[in-house]
């Protein structure tokens, strides 16, 4: 197996084709990671979100990251990490951005919206009213593993 760095262009193309990732945030030196659906276009990651621990933490500390991977098998995979800053998109200031996010999120938006509606009816909890946020992406890195051996695949000499 050979592990190589992905170019910025490859990372962006991968993020644009993906829809499920792991959002990382932290507060008071405690990390917190949750799976989320997202839509990416340079240089923003859009998310439809419940209000809860992650949004409270991201309000307190907007430095966040998103990890996305595709694993064919243990020696063929891609993993991309985007680092950036949380920004909430409330109405009415961000109506156009919310509409844009809805369009980008497409089917995922409808699926998640229905799931939320259903949960809200069952729980009767208005705290789960959804909100939109986006991440301003400051940097992206990616690693790709492919089958085969590197030319320099020998063990390093001591
Ligand atoms: C495939 C998939 C896609 C998802 N897409 C979205 C999305 O697009 N937007 C979105 O907002 N949410 C999505 N979720 C749900 C998300 O992972 C969180 O569970 C949810 O957003 C609540 O997070 P919260 O921080 O607001 O937790 P809260 O509702 O505040 O929950 C409090 C506690 O519950 C625990 N908890 C919360 N979420 C999880 C979890 N996923 N696993 C284990 N423990 C948990 C935590 O320990 C936390 O302390 C998705 C989940 C899955 C599996």
């Amino acid at each position: 197996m050979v592990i190589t760095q992905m170019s910025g262009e490859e990372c962006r193309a991968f993020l644009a084709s993906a829809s499920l990732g792991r959002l990382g945030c932290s507060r008071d030196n405690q990390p917190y990671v949750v799976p989320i659906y997202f839509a990416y276009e340079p240089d923003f990651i859009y998310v439809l979100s419940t209000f809860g621990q992650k949004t409270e933490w991201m309000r307190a500390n907007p430095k966040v990251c998103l990890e996305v991977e595709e694993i064919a098998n243990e020696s063929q995979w891609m993993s991309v990490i985007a680092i950036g800053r949380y920004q909430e998109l409330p109405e009415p200031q961000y109506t156009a951005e919310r509409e844009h996010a809805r369009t980008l999120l497409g089917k995922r938006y409808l699926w998640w919206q229905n799931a939320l509606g259903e949960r809200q009816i069952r729980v009767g909890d208005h705290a789960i009213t959804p909100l939109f946020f986006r991440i301003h992406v400051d940097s992206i890195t990616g690693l790709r593993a492919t089958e085969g051996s590197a030319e320099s695949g020998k063990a390093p000499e001591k």
Side-chain angles (χ1 to χ4, degrees), residues 78-121:
M78 282 188 281
S79 169
V80 167
I81 297 176
I83 293 196
R85 289 156 290 131
Y86 172 75
Q87 181 192 23
E88 231 161 275
L89 300 173
E91 296 214 83
Q93 305 98 293
Y94 292 102
T95 304
E97 287 80 358
R98 291 165 67 98
E99 225 14 80
H100 187 59
R102 243 181 225 122
T103 307
L104 286 176
L105 286 161
K107 287 182 187 160
R108 300 287 178 207
Y109 169 78
L110 286 175
W111 175 84
W112 186 238
Q113 182 82 325
N114 289 341
L116 281 176
E118 200 272 335
R119 185 176 167 211
Q120 207 151 358
I121 289 164

Side-chain angles (χ1 to χ4, degrees), residues 20 32 34-37 47-54 112:
L20 180 65
Y32 179 55
V34 284
I36 50 150
Y37 284 121
V47 178
L48 172 66
S49 168
T50 53
F51 180 75
Q53 181 172 324
K54 64 183 178 311
W112 186 238

Side-chain angles (χ1 to χ4, degrees), residues 72 106 131:
L131 56 87

Side-chain angles (χ1 to χ4, degrees), residues 23-36:
L23 172 74
C25 57
S26 70
R27 194 174 69 175
D28 301 333
N29 294 323
Q30 174 61 61
Y32 179 55
V33 178
V34 284
I36 50 150

